[in-house]
Amino acid sequence: MNVFTWMNDQLLRMQWLSDLVTAGVQAVGLDPASRIGGSVQFFVYDVIKIFILLSVLIFFISYVQSYFPPERTRRILGGRSGIGANILGALLGTITPFCSCSSIPLFIGFTAAGLPLGVTFSFLISSPLVDMASVILLASIFSWPIALAYVGVGLMVAIIGGTIIGKLGMENQVAGFVRNVPVTDADETLTRAERVAFARDQVLEIVHKVWLYVLIGVGIGAAIHNWVPAETISALLGQDKWWAVPVATLVGIPMYADIFGTLPIAEALVGKGVGLGTVLAFMMAVTALSLPALIMLKRVVKLPLLATFTGVVTVGILTIGFTFNAITHWFI
């Protein structure tokens, strides 16, 4: 076993934690191979692992993020146009808050500052869909090829989606009050202690926001993993079913969670034989097209622009789902 494999298994997948939880389940008289014992093992292991990784990753990412407040991000994007600006907007979206609802206030600020509409939408799509923490967590559950593929296709959806929206010239579809929101510059000169305090506060704030969704997601994942027969899952969402990707996308839209809540569900679905593209479509629909986020967005853009945004992202998600189902053998 090489060093990379050992680090991936012990630090990301936390095999030591899995072994410890398994021993604890056995110590209380449960069989990890049984449905009840397996569900308890899955739930306890995934909850602890996700919260450990989440806390550590958010701290380090937030420390880096402290160098890129909204005002600085706006200045980086300002004055740029074309596909390069969309790429930069999508990339900057990867170091911002983790849920779509958190990204909308930044979207308003960028729009008020006069940034091109397409660039702000590339940012809005990328911010909840792709972040550095998601790369590590995806790798901890699946593999690095799948994690990197997810990030690549997420950025692709953000760049292409923002470019299309920008080309359509729908600036008049943004609510009037958004253009009048005052934009101020914040003091970016923080001491190291202040950056550490900011990162710590971000950990507490984000964990407070997502803990319930993580527990629900892990609970659903444990139920799928140990109680729902693989034949049932295959009959509904099997890789050979053409409707699997559209159904997964539609099911994901009404949900409100972030990638941390969807990962345990995705892990269980893949374990039951659901295609990778179907699982990615579900995750992307939940994070990029959640119903609460669409309702919030409706308050700042008019219906034609909202419908265009939803349609462009949905087509992108469906395309990615079908494509990945066709090439799953490259990743699994």
Side-chain angles (χ1 to χ4, degrees):
M1 181 183 296
N2 59 42
V3 175
F4 178 81
T5 301
W6 181 88
M7 291 181 63
N8 191 69
D9 289 344
Q10 299 301 324
L11 297 182
L12 294 183
R13 295 183 182 274
M14 297 190 190
Q15 186 58 48
W16 59 270
L17 177 61
S18 178
D19 295 339
L20 185 62
V21 173
T22 299
V25 169
Q26 293 173 329
V28 298
L30 295 176
D31 180 5
S34 68
R35 284 185 172 181
I36 295 178
S39 296
V40 172
Q41 198 277 344
F42 184 102
F43 185 87
V44 174
Y45 164 62
D46 263 39
V47 166
I48 296 175
K49 179 181 72 172
I50 288 175
F51 278 121
I52 290 175
L53 287 174
L54 193 59
S55 299
V56 173
L57 292 170
I58 290 174
F59 182 88
F60 284 105
I61 292 169
S62 297
Y63 188 87
V64 174
Q65 185 186 337
S66 68
Y67 290 92
F68 295 91
E71 294 76 17
R72 184 174 185 182
T73 304
R74 172 177 57 82
R75 288 197 295 271
I76 292 173
L77 292 174
R80 290 178 168 82
S81 60
I83 188 67
N86 289 96
I87 293 173
L88 189 55
L91 290 174
L92 286 173
T94 64
I95 57 173
T96 54
F98 300 106
C99 75
S100 48
C101 292
S102 300
S103 305
I104 290 174
L106 291 176
F107 167 81
I108 293 173
F110 293 159
T111 303
L115 266 63
L117 187 64
V119 176
T120 60
F121 268 98
S122 285
F123 172 88
L124 181 66
I125 297 169
S126 171
S127 182
L129 201 58
V130 183
D131 58 71
M132 298 309 295
S134 69
V135 183
I136 306 299
L137 284 171
L138 275 165
S140 73
I141 290 178
F142 298 112
S143 65
W144 278 104
I146 291 177
L148 295 176
Y150 175 86
V151 171
V153 297
L155 288 174
M156 188 184 307
V157 169
I159 293 166
I160 295 176
T163 300
I164 292 173
I165 291 172
K167 295 292 185 183
L168 292 176
M170 303 182 74
E171 283 76 11
N172 63 341
Q173 296 298 311
V174 177
F177 79 90
V178 173
R179 301 293 184 186
N180 301 319
V181 172
V183 179
T184 58
D185 287 332
D187 183 9
E188 299 169 11
T189 307
L190 300 177
T191 65
R192 179 177 298 178
E194 289 171 334
R195 296 188 192 280
V196 169
F198 169 77
R200 180 201 62 213
D201 292 342
Q202 285 291 94
V203 171
L204 295 175
E205 179 182 350
I206 292 172
V207 169
H208 178 72
K209 286 181 178 179
V210 307
W211 70 268
L212 181 58
Y213 300 110
V214 171
L215 294 183
I216 292 173
V218 175
I220 294 173
I224 294 173
H225 189 270
N226 294 282
W227 294 89
V228 181
E231 295 77 11
T232 302
I233 296 292
S234 180
L236 295 173
L237 297 174
Q239 193 167 331
D240 59 331
K241 303 297 188 295
W242 68 265
W243 62 76
V245 172
V247 167
T249 303
L250 290 174
V251 169
I253 291 175
M255 299 177 64
Y256 176 58
D258 50 34
I259 191 172
F260 309 120
T262 61
L263 274 171
I265 302 174
E267 177 185 13
L269 290 174
V270 169
K272 291 292 184 178
V274 175
L276 177 59
T278 303
V279 171
L280 290 181
F282 169 75
M283 293 171 61
M284 288 183 165
V286 171
T287 53
L289 293 176
S290 69
L291 193 58
L294 293 179
I295 292 172
M296 286 185 64
L297 189 58
K298 176 62 179 67
R299 301 172 73 94
V300 297
V301 302
K302 298 177 182 178
L303 187 58
L305 180 52
L306 180 66
T308 301
F309 163 75
T310 305
V312 167
V313 175
T314 299
V315 170
I317 290 173
L318 293 175
T319 302
I320 287 167
F322 285 122
T323 301
F324 270 77
N325 274 351
I327 60 173
T328 293
H329 61 280
W330 289 2
F331 300 95
I332 297 180

